[in-house]
Amino acid sequence: MNMKRNTQLFDLYWEDILVSKVLPHLTLRDCFNFRCASKTCLQIINIYFTKLKSLKLMNKGFSPHTFNVFSLTCTRLNVLNLSKCLTVTDSDLIPLLLRNPDLVNLNLSQCKNLTAKCLQPVILYCNNLITLKLTRCSWLTTGAIEALALHQSKLEDVDLSYCLCISESSILVFIKKFKHLKTLSFEGNKQITDRCLYAISKYSTSLRLLNLGGCSEITDKGIRALASHSKKLEGLLVRGCTKVTENSLKLLRSKVQLDRRPLDPLPLPLYVQI
């Protein structure tokens, strides 16, 4: 009597079923737990990691060993989001960036243990980079910004909020180079002045959203330049810009969404005849 063996998990086609249909439903933690179960499980997860196009580890802590697994297996990433990964270091990140030159979207916001050195692979080899988010990266330097402007050409979505160590001159170089910017944030950068707004109005002709919140040195002159020349602008954030008044904002209100309401008109004095 022939006994038929029951079909087991590993009898399924690995790449066609397990990797493409099953594993995408697992969390990364589940994947690592599964990876530890056996050599076969390890092989299957490694195959899955090699096919990943997007790796999002936002606000997660992980060991250097765990990150090294990604560095060794992930080679086809288009999206890498490490926002608020406080433990990641240059030695963790650089190998991963070197193995993924096809990155289109990179987010290193609030990664406080990095240095500007980690951007070298991005600057030199990630030639298709479109989105770069570096919010509150105090390690970002003027030299790194200038190197980005020298080697990159396709950036459209950039967030440099609260990057306090970059100079106005490097920002001007950056604006003049990237003429296809659509979204740009300089929130919290007090080194931003009207000179930057003049450059944006001249070179960033495709800009749709501009965040200048907390840029306390800009004035009505810079806003007027945007009103005159930034024809595609759809949104402007200027809350906390104490030198910007309704005199310039009123020029934008009919066509641009602003984060500040118009000032209520002063009530007319009431004269009572005695």
Side-chain angles (χ1 to χ4, degrees), residues 15-26:
E15 294 198 30
D16 292 343
I17 298 178
L18 292 180
V19 170
S20 63
K21 305 297 185 183
V22 178
L23 295 182
H25 295 283
L26 302 183

Side-chain angles (χ1 to χ4, degrees), residues 108-110 132-140 145 158-166 171 183-192 210-215 237:
L108 300 177
S109 296
Q110 300 188 56
L132 180 63
K133 297 185 180 296
L134 299 173
T135 303
R136 296 185 185 275
C137 290
S138 58
W139 45 264
L140 186 64
I145 288 293
V158 176
D159 191 339
L160 300 177
S161 302
Y162 297 97
C163 292
L164 306 180
C165 294
I166 56 177
I171 291 170
T183 304
L184 181 60
S185 178
F186 288 128
E187 182 181 1
N189 289 318
K190 298 185 186 302
Q191 67 272 43
I192 299 294
L210 178 60
N211 186 351
L212 299 171
C215 297
L237 283 69

